[in-house]
């Protein structure tokens, strides 16, 4: 299976975006950073014991699923929406949701629009090849409105056109809108409308049929969530592991049970993942959280204990 | 006096398959054919295996499924409720539109620049050289982006055409003789051009749409509606062209018998346009000018012009960029074509007393065209293929619909890609077959 | 050539071409220097001289394929200035035959011959074709009328070129080395045509190195060198008793082998 | 009445009249020779002024020192008092130029691609300029291996073995000569690399397998073929063995690190060199009088030329996985190179066909009459001449191909134009920058392509005089 | 040519080429009709006839540059069939010289001459070069060995072409109008080379219209017309006393001027 391939290769190949601010992009020195990228690193740390043993293959909206299906990448961690048809027809498995997103609209303040329901007849910039196109059509239809679509190739183009006034509103996942707005010279002149017109559960994808590998990806991700739940961070992991009495934490630290062996890894895989990138909250805060220029609130992505949707199955 | 001698029949030996010129080529061909067949069946076999492994099937049923996405620029009616198949045709029509208009523009640009490059005016020739070199040596993709961006950055937005409540108020105050605050605006920031019919904006050009009050009705074949009005117009145009051809033929006969050619241009104009104009008037032709809906008070409503039709900025940019890029190549072809006609030809023509204009049209151009047309057609082919870069500027052509969104939404990459290649191939073949026929018909006769 | 024909080759007193103090430069290169020359109607003049001496340029100035910068050229009473009407007039009265024939390859032989009459002289097509066939018969290739130039041999092409010029009914014919691009067998057929033309009293200026032709037909030979007319004389004198050193040298070279 | 005239004194050349010389003449003739020309000249002057007055301040007033687009904007606003004047933000280029040139290639190893690029010219020299000694062709032949080593790194023994084996095989094949030589060459080459014989047989069996009526016993396939596959991989077994004794090599660099102009040049140069032999074969096939061979060649050429390159790239990224045996999977760059090679081969085939057509029939006949066989005639007489005539065409094909490498961004590779730019724009510091990357990349493309096109024009002129 | 040389030009009884009832068509055009002909070793045969009569085709059939469709051609005991081995054998024993030389322009003179010996006869390079120099000396241009064909005059090129053929040590030489693309001065130097070759007893078949050459060297002249052999005879008889009407007509034409 994929696990053996990865081990034999000594490197994890992660399908990533060609560049999406905050989620995954190469920096000036060529190292990739971002929210999705950190999950890849955690996975590499869990499987290979080294967070740097990961190669990022940029994929476009059109090539991403094929790249995964053909085995070109081991896992696709690249803001891909989990839908029925992708899960079934494309023979892929979405193993978790690492970011709950939803499609929103951004407009200029001086347009005088305060709700997406007032957009009848507007020109809408939208990225092609994504689920957002379908959502948009459905939303306008449901509200008995019409629109003109400007199908743009990528996010930066969409943003440019929106700013230039080539469209009245730009629609994409709310996280993307926030990121775009954050970098605008006149951010105060733009508002993101309150309506979120779709559910966009984004998460890692693996090939259908390789359940062991799917489990590894899922539980590596859950490990990060559980770590946050338990208040474990990169910094205090060793400390807590040494002192804890919580059996779940002990299992997470590999001190108890044989969780690792059951999915073909060693017992410390979860520990390595957390040590490599920190817990879910740390990853979030470091890449897209409120302290970053992108400044996303946790919102739906808060832990279930804090009113969010991020909920990991028990690590037992 | 010829008598045939029977050459003795030789026995067939196996080695003759290789060493005998009669069989050798057959042997080679059969081996090649077998290898090719094997390779092909290997590919097909693999494909079947792979499809099976992925649990996919190979069929085109998705073409009849609701597409669910929208297309900005459509030539045939389309909504997101239409099928993927229809989206394909929208894309194909868009591809052909850009290809067709692009080819015409490119030819105009190319011929103009090619001739100007040969101009005696040093500055003009230099500017044209710079144009040609810059366009030829930078990727076309960059040109498409380069031209698209200014189109979407410069120019007013539709909302700049809107009449707002404050404007109405200000006008009212003015009408009552009141004084306006210094920063008050009474008219929209932008206005339409060409007798208030065409709005040029960042989103493209909003054009008046021709409509008929008394259309002749229509019929449908499957998904497609064909209007009798259009058919009638086409018929009238065809008839006019035919009559005009007759007229010209008659003029030539007159010239051949008397040596003087009668003036025909105004008759031609009349024959070519009058019937069409009459028909259009009969059908109640009028223009639907794009405009904002207004409230009773006269305040413009909505985001965009209503009515009319739009030429999107992406269509404009793609067409212009491809035309300018290809035009640079065509310019070189034209220049080379004219220069290939030796100076002796025009000198001989001058020496016979023909004026430069006649020399050009009777001696140089007919010869230059033979040199120009074949590479010209291959430039047309290139332009047609380059329309597939429309995706870079959000133009949904065949690549953008069938090979882009449809492929992406349905996940049927094999079917989509094969179908798309087939369509492009068909277009190319049609063009190159046309070229070959032309080539054969103009081949210079030689010993 | 028999006596009778020679008889016909009369020279009248009328002036066909008058060139006075003509100078021409290519850039700063002084290619024609102080050319003075008068050609009577019916004269047959052969121009010779070393390569680069300006023979072609001189002949091309006469129908304004090249512009002269000083002096005067008067052809058939029309002075060549930059006036387009004059140029047109001169060109329609002066025929020219080039070294490389310069037939129009996209037209048939017949069309080559009728093109100018139809478009310049506005002759009806039928009439133009009759004239063309007449002159094609004269140059002995009427049967090729519907072929294309590419299908003819060099000698045949040059004869077509002569016929094409004749179709404009010119009063003067200029020849610029008409035989130098031809194979030996073909030279004869072209020269024969030219001799026939001479016998009919056509005014001819011919740049050629065919000395046999010059002796048989010309009534004057002009020798040029370095853009100047160095010597002119009647053929017999010219060949047997050249005066100038340069002429002697030149003749020794071309008659040497 | 014959006017006899003898010039006694030759006239010296004189200077032309004043109005026919000097700068005034030039102006009059070249710029103001008539009303139309005068208007055109003024129009031209206006266009030049308008273009330059807009562009030059933007380019030369650009900011070079800044950490982000925002900083740039501030600097410009401070300088102009915020009157909305725009200027370029070259600081981005200053920070990221290396990514535009090398992609993510490790920065301490930049010397390797640079050296490979420099050596390219050394290798090309004997092909392009005839005055170099023939011995240098050996260098040209060795270049692919050297470049491979420099770019991808790894054990030196890979390229060394490559050179030695290809050289040896080539040597043997040329000794045999003719069609058999070609066959031997191919067979020996296949024998030496990968898991050759096994692979070939395996391939053949797969082919046969594909026929519905033949069934190859699985056991046979696995035992015999597996055995052969283990015995013959001369190459793949020998070089690790040598490497274990003499571990010389360079740091390996993965191809996912390739981007920017490095990627464009690698794809362009590799594709054009590999497409050359393929193009020759296709051109010969198209010229052949064997109907089937001809039809297949024509079919291939016309198919490739009839579809846009971008669909071929999508084929590389989306469809190749369907056509190859299940589980086959290799580098996207490699797949793209393969498809681009096919693409270039079809175009080169047409260029070479032109070269072949330009050769007089007499050359073929003379070769025949001397008793040379088909392959000898092709190799010794026809190809050297046809290729030489085709060089300008090959260069222009290469220019076109090089420009077209920008399309690989559509399959997610980091081409300089869109790929790298997209990555740069995803950086929070440079989000929103638009023109600068395009102008920068456009300028580099222009310099490279323009010099190549000038070179090919020079060649055309040179070849023209050569042949007279 | 002196007596002694003529003495040397002996004809043996051995048969070099035997053509029997040979026919050839181009498409439906019957270009060679019932050709029967025997050439003894050492014979020097000149073939002449009007243009298009099939001379070139006949000679090209002998080394299978063209395929014949009926009848038999036996060269040096090897019958020309579609068997490649036979063709190769014949070609390596028959040398051919073309009207347009067909030298390989990308190779030096020496390389032109050594190419076939090295690749076809597998002669070591050094030996091949020695042979080549020997024959280049024979055709009197050893000093040009390292030049390229483009740098030589036509006559020199044709002599190189002869040397190139000789380097394969052929037993029979075929010439297809070897001098017709040459300027008159150069014709002689090529003919001299051929005469020398003849004197050494080479079997030669030569298509030419150089009647002087035919009279001096040939021991048989074959006249062809419309694809048939119309007359063959020894030169003296052929020229002074042609039997057939066509031959008479033809001779009157070519000897006429
Ligand atoms: N267009 C031109 N520009 C500049 N110089 C020219 C031009 N045409 C001809 N010349 C030069 O003018 C001189 C005379 O040329 P011309 O062709 O009249 O000579 P010619 O006597 O006809 O020689 P030839 O016997 O070789 O035809 C030559 O030195 C030539 O190089
Ligand atoms: N490849 C060909 N296909 C068809 N017809 C041909 C071909 N080659 C020659 N012919 C015709 O065959 C006839 C004989 O040609 P061939 O060249 O043998 O004549 P020839 O006697 O050598 O003439 P010449 O003296 O002009 O060289 C001619 O009518 C010619 O048109
Ligand atoms: Mg001249
Ligand atoms: Mg012949």
């Amino acid at each position: 299976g994929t696990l053996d391939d990865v081990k034999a290769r000594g490197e994890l190949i992660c399908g990533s975006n060609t560049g999406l601010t905050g989620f995954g992009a190469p920096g000036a020195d060529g190292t990739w950073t971002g929210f999705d990228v950190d999950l890849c690193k955690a996975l590499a740390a869990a499987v290979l014991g080294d967070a740097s043993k990961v190669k990022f293959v940029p994929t476009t909206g059109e090539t991403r699923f094929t790249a995964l299906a053909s085995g070109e990448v081991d896992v696709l961690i690249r803001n891909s929406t989990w839908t029925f048809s992708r899960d079934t027809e494309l023979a892929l498995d979405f193993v978790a949701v690492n970011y709950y997103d939803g499609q929103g609209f951004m407009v200029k303040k001086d347009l005088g629009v305060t709700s997406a329901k007032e957009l009848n007849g507007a020109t809408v910039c939208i990225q092609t090849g994504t689920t957002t196109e379908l959502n948009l059509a459905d939303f306008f239809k449901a509200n008995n409105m019409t629109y003109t679509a400007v199908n743009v190739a990528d996010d930066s183009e969409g943003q440019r056109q929106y700013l230039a006034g080539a469209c009245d509103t730009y629609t994409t996942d709310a996280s993307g809108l926030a990121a775009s707005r954050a970098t605008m010279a006149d951010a105060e002149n733009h508002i993101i409308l309150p309506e979120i017109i779709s559910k966009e559960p984004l998460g890692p994808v693996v090939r259908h049929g390789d359940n062991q590998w799917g489990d590894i990806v899922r539980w590596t991700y859950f490990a990060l969530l559980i770590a946050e739940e338990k208040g474990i961070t990169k910094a205090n992991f060793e400390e807590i592991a040494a002192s804890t009495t919580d059996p779940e934490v002990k299992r997470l630290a590999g001190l108890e049970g044989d969780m690792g062996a059951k999915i073909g890894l060693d017992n410390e895989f979860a520990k390595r993942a957390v040590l490599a990138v920190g817990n879910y909250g740390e990853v979030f805060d470091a890449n897209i959280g409120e302290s970053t220029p992108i400044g996303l609130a946790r919102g739906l992505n808060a832990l279930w204990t804090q009113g969010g949707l991020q909920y990991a199955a028990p690590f037992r | 006096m010829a008598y045939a001698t029977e050459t003795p029949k030789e026995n067939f030996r196996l080695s003759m398959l290789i060493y005998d010129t009669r069989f050798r080529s057959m042997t080679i061909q059969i081996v090649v054919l077998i290898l090719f067949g094997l390779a092909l069946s290997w590919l097909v076999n693999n494909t079947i295996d792979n499809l099976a492994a992925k649990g996919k099937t190979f069929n085109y049923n998705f073409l009849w499924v609701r597409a669910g996405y929208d297309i900005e620029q459509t030539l045939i009616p389309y909504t997101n409720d239409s099928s993927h198949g229809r989206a394909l045709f929208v894309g194909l029509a868009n591809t052909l539109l850009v290809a067709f208009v692009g080819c015409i523009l490119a030819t105009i640009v190319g011929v103009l620049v090619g001739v100007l490059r040969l101009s005696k005016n040093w500055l003009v020739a230099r500017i044209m050289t710079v144009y040609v070199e810059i366009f030829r040596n930078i990727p076309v993709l960059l040109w498409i982006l380069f031209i698209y961006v200014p189109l979407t950055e410069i120019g007013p937005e539709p909302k700049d055409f809107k009449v707002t409540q404050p404007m109405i108020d200000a006008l009212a105050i003015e009408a009552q003789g009141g004084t306006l605050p210094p920063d008050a605006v009474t008219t929209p920031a932008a206005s339409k051009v060409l007798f208030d019919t065409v709005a040029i904006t960042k989103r493209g050009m909003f054009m008046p749409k021709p409509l008929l009050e008394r259309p002749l009705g229509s019929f449908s074949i499957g998904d497609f509606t064909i209007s009798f009005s259009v058919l009638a117009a086409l018929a009238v145009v065809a008839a006019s062209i035919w009559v005009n051809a007759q007229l010209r033929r008659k003029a030539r006969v007159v010239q051949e018998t008397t040596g003087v050619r009668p003036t025909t241009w105004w008759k031609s104009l009349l024959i070519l346009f009058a019937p069409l104009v009459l028909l259009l008037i009969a059908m109640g032709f009028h223009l639907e000018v794009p405009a904002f809906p207004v409230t009773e008070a006269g305040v413009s409503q909505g985001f965009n012009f209503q009515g009319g039709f739009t030429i999107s900025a992406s269509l404009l940019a793609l067409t212009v960029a491809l035309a300018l890029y290809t035009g640079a190549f065509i310019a070189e072809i034209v220049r080379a074509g004219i220069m290939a006609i030796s100076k002796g030809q025009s000198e001989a023509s001058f020496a016979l007393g023909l004026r430069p204009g006649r020399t050009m049209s009777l001696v140089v151009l007919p010869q230059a065209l033979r040199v120009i047309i074949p590479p010209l057609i291959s430039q047309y082919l290139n332009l047609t293929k380059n329309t597939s870069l429309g995706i870079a500027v959000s133009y949904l052509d065949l690549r953008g619909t069938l090979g882009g969104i449809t492929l992406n939404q349905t996940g049927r990459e094999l079917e989509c890609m094969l179908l798309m290649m087939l369509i492009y191939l068909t277009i190319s073949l049609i063009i190159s077959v046309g070229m070959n026929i032309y080539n054969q018909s103009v081949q210079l006769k030689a010993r | 050539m028999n006596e009778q024909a020679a008889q016909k080759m009369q020279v009248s007193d009328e002036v066909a071409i008058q060139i006075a103090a003509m100078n021409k430069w290519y850039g700063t290169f002084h290619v024609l220097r102080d050319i003075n020359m008068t050609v009577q109607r019916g004269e047959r003049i052969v121009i010779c001289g070393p390569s680069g001496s300006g023979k072609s340029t001189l002949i091309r100035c006469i129908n304004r394929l090249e512009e002269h910068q000083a002096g005067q050229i008067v052809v058939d009473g029309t002075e060549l200035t930059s006036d387009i009407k004059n140029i047109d007039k001169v060109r329609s009265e002066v025929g020219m035959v080039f070294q490389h024939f310069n037939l129009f390859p996209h037209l048939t032989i017949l069309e080559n011959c009728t093109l100018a009459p139809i478009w310049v002289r506005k002759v009806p097509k039928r009439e133009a074709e009759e004239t063309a066939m007449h002159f094609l018969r004269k140059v002995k290739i009427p049967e090729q009328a519907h072929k294309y130039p590419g299908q003819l041999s060099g000698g045949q092409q040059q004869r077509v070129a002569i016929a094409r010029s004749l179709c404009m009914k010119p009063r003067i014919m200029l020849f610029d080395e008409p035989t130098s691009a031809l194979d030996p067998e073909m030279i004869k057929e072209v020269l024969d045509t030219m001799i026939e033309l001479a016998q009919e009293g056509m005014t001819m200026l011919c740049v050629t190195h065919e000395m046999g032709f010059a002796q048989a037909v010309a009534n004057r030979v002009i020798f040029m060198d370095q853009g100047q007319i160095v010597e002119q004389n009647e053929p017999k004198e010219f060949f047997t008793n050249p005066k100038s050193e340069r002429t002697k040298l030149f003749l020794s070279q071309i008659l040497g082998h | 009445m014959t006017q006899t005239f003898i010039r006694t004194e030759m006239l010296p050349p004189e200077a032309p009249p004043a109005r026919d010389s000097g700068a005034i003449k030039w102006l009059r003739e070249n710029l103001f020779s008539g009303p139309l020309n005068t208007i055109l000249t003024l129009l031209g002057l206006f266009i030049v002024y308008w273009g330059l007055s807009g562009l030059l301040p933007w380019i030369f007033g650009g900011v070079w020192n800044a950490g982000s687009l925002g900083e740039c904007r501030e600097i410009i606003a401070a300088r102009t008092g915020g009157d909305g004047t725009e200027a370029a933000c070259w600081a981005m280029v200053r920070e990221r130029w290396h990514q535009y040139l090398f992609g993510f290639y490790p920065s301490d190893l930049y010397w390797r691609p640079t050296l490979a690029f420099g050596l390219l010219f050394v290798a090309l020299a004997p092909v392009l300029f005839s005055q170099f000694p023939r011995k240098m062709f050996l260098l040209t032949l060795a270049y692919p291996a050297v470049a491979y080593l420099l770019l991808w790194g790894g054990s030196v023994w890979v390229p060394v073995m490559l050179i030695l084996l290809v050289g040896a095989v080539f040597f043997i094949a040329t000794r045999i000569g003719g069609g058999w030589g070609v066959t031997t060459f191919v067979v020996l080459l296949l024998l030496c690399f990968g898991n050759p014989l096994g692979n070939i047989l395996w391939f053949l069996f797969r082919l046969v397998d594909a026929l519905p009526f033949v069934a190859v016993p699985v056991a046979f396939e696995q035992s015999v073929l597996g055995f052969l596959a283990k015995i013959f991989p001369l190459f793949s077994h020998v070089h690790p063995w040598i490497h274990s004794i003499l571990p010389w090599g360079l740091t390996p660099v993965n191809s996912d690190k390739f981007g920017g102009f490095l990627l464009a040049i690698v794809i362009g140069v590799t594709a054009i060199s590999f497409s050359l032999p393929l193009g020759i074969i296709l051109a010969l096939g198209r010229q052949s009088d064997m109907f089937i061979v001809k039809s297949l060649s024509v079919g291939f050429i016309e198919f490739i030329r009839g579809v846009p390159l971008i669909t071929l790239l999508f084929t590389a990224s989306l469809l190749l996985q369907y056509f190859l045996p299940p589980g086959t999977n290799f580098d996207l760059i490699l797949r793209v190179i393969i498809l681009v090679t096919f693409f270039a081969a079809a175009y080169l085939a047409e260029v070479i066909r032109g070269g072949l057509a330009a050769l007089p029939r007499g050359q073929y006949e003379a070769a025949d009459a001397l008793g040379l066989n088909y392959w000898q005639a092709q190799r010794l007489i026809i190809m050297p001449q046809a290729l030489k005539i085709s060089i300008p065409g090959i260069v222009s094909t290469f220019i076109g191909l090089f420009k077209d490498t920008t399309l690989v961004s559509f399959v997610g590779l980091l081409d300089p134009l869109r790929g790298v730019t997209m990555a740069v724009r995803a950086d929070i510091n440079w989000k929103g920058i638009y023109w600068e990357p395009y102008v920068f990349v456009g300028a580099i493309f222009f310099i490279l392509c323009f010099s190549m096109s000038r070179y090919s024009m020079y060649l055309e002129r040179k070849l023209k005089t050569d042949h007279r």
Side-chain angles (χ1 to χ4, degrees), chain B residues 27-43, chain D residues 183 186 200 203-208 210-211 292-293 296:
Chain B
T27 318
I28 295 175
Q29 298 199 61
I30 288 172
V31 168
V32 167
L33 193 64
I34 289 175
L35 281 180
F36 176 73
L38 282 176
L40 201 66
S41 56
W42 182 68
L43 289 179
Chain D
T183 320
V186 173
I200 299 167
F203 175 79
L204 283 178
F205 276 106
R206 289 291 315 186
L207 288 182
V208 176
L211 300 175
I292 292 174
V293 173
L296 287 179

Side-chain angles (χ1 to χ4, degrees), chain B residues 252-260, chain C residues 123-127:
Chain B
R252 211 177 57 232
V253 172
V254 172
Q255 182 190 22
E256 278 169 14
T257 47
T258 67
V260 186
Chain C
V123 174
K125 192 175 171 199
R126 155 146 311 182
E127 199 182 311

Side-chain angles (χ1 to χ4, degrees), chain B residues 56-115:
Chain B
K56 289 188 175 181
T57 52
F58 184 87
N59 65 61
Y60 281 98
N61 294 339
F62 67 93
L63 287 178
W64 283 266
V65 172
R66 173 174 180 261
Y69 59 90
D70 278 278
I71 299 175
E72 186 185 9
Q73 182 90 45
T74 59
L75 285 180
I76 54 177
Y78 172 87
T79 68
N80 57 47
D81 282 332
S82 309
S83 64
H84 281 295
R86 200 172 177 92
L88 182 167
F89 278 105
V90 173
L92 178 59
N94 280 350
T95 293
L96 294 178
L97 174 70
V98 174
F100 183 71
V101 179
C103 285
I104 292 175
L105 284 182
T107 314
I108 296 173
V109 171
V111 171
L112 209 66
V113 173
V115 171

Side-chain angles (χ1 to χ4, degrees), chain B residues 400-421:
Chain B
T401 56
L402 175 67
I405 304 179
T406 296
L407 180 152
N408 219 311
Q409 306 290 18
T410 61
R412 300 214 162 255
E413 55 257 349
L414 190 60
E415 290 92 332
C416 287
M417 291 301 298
L418 289 183
L419 184 58
M420 188 166 77
M421 285 195 191

Side-chain angles (χ1 to χ4, degrees), chain A residues 182-240:
Chain A
T183 59
M184 286 176 186
D186 55 343
E188 67 279 4
N189 292 334
H190 304 269
I191 54 172
I192 296 174
L193 299 177
E195 284 85 356
I196 297 294
I197 64 165
S198 72
K199 292 181 288 186
E200 302 285 337
L202 312 177
V205 198
V206 296
R207 277 182 293 278
H208 206 84
D210 191 351
N211 295 347
Q212 185 191 31
W213 179 244
D215 291 343
I216 291 173
V217 177
R218 180 181 304 117
W219 286 98
T220 303
Y221 170 64
F222 279 170
L224 303 186
L225 268 185
I226 293 169
E228 188 185 9
E229 223 175 283
K230 300 287 177 189
I232 299 170
T233 64
K234 190 157 51 168
N236 67 12
F237 197 119
E238 300 286 2
E239 200 181 312
I240 290 185

Side-chain angles (χ1 to χ4, degrees), chain D residues 48-383:
Chain D
V48 170
Y49 170 78
W50 178 77
L52 292 185
S53 68
L55 266 181
L56 293 183
W58 185 82
I59 292 177
F60 291 105
V63 176
W64 283 95
N65 275 311
S68 70
L69 184 58
E71 259 179 61
C72 267
R73 288 186 183 139
E74 276 164 27
I75 294 174
I76 296 163
R79 195 168 59 194
T80 61
D83 60 356
T85 318
E86 292 194 24
C89 183
W90 298 123
M92 184 281 299
V93 172
R94 188 188 156 95
E95 186 189 302
R96 296 296 186 103
W97 64 269
H98 55 275
Q99 276 183 6
Y100 278 100
L101 297 191
F102 298 102
F104 300 132
Y105 210 86
S107 54
D108 50 331
L109 300 181
Y110 281 168
W111 63 271
R112 275 164 43 181
T114 316
L115 182 61
F117 186 62
L119 285 180
L120 176 63
F121 291 98
V122 180
L124 278 180
V127 183
L128 301 181
F129 302 98
S130 40
Q131 56 266 44
F132 283 86
R134 287 208 171 172
K135 285 266 154 54
M136 274 183 74
F137 265 112
L138 290 179
L139 223 152
T140 310
L141 291 179
Y143 178 75
V146 176
Y148 173 82
L149 175 69
L150 282 173
L151 290 173
W152 276 272
S155 164
V156 274
W157 300 113
V158 179
V160 168
M161 290 281 297
L162 213 75
I163 294 175
L164 288 180
L165 282 175
V166 176
V169 167
F170 187 73
F171 183 77
I172 296 171
T174 46
R175 286 298 107 180
I176 296 170
W180 295 120
V182 175
T183 320
T184 327
F185 181 70
V186 173
V187 169
L188 283 179
L189 212 58
L190 287 172
L191 276 178
C192 293
F193 296 105
N195 285 341
L197 191 58
N199 267 353
I200 299 167
L201 286 178
W202 178 83
F203 175 79
L204 283 178
F205 276 106
R206 289 291 315 186
L207 288 182
V208 176
D209 236 4
L211 300 175
F213 45 85
V214 190
V216 178
V218 176
F220 173 79
E221 204 173 318
Q222 277 171 358
S223 60
V224 177
L225 299 185
F227 175 71
L228 287 173
K230 289 213 170 50
I231 289 196
F232 281 96
L234 201 58
F235 180 69
S236 55
H237 279 205
V238 169
H239 80 78
W241 176 71
I242 305 183
H243 190 73
S244 62
I245 300 170
L246 289 173
W248 297 340
L250 295 173
T251 328
V253 178
N254 256 327
S255 43
D256 63 309
K257 300 276 186 251
F258 285 47
F261 280 97
L262 174 60
L263 180 69
I265 291 172
V266 166
I267 293 180
V269 171
T270 324
I272 207 84
S273 5
F274 284 115
S275 62
L276 203 56
L278 194 56
I280 291 175
I281 291 173
L282 285 172
L284 290 179
R286 195 169 186 165
Q287 295 281 68
S288 156
D289 16 87
M290 291 185 259
F291 176 74
I292 292 174
V293 173
K294 186 180 170 132
S295 325
L296 287 179
S297 309
V298 171
F300 180 87
I301 293 173
E302 292 306 328
F303 171 73
I304 297 277
R305 282 159 47 94
V307 299
L309 175 59
I310 195 167
T311 62
L312 294 178
L313 293 176
F314 272 98
T315 304
S317 101
L318 300 179
L319 298 197
L320 226 48
Q321 48 140 347
Y322 282 103
F323 299 144
L324 298 177
T328 324
N329 187 23
F330 48 98
D331 205 11
L332 178 61
I333 293 189
L334 196 54
R335 280 181 281 156
V336 163
I337 287 180
I338 292 175
L339 266 287
V340 173
T341 303
F342 285 168
F343 179 76
Y347 280 82
L348 279 190
E350 290 298 277
V351 169
I352 293 168
R353 186 164 71 116
L356 287 175
L359 278 195
R361 269 211 65 75
Q363 293 291 315
Y364 296 84
E365 287 181 351
D368 276 352
L370 284 174
L372 297 172
N373 66 31
Y374 178 81
W375 291 104
Q376 287 172 335
Q378 289 299 340
R379 193 160 74 73
L380 299 169
I381 309 298
I382 307 303
M383 275 306 149

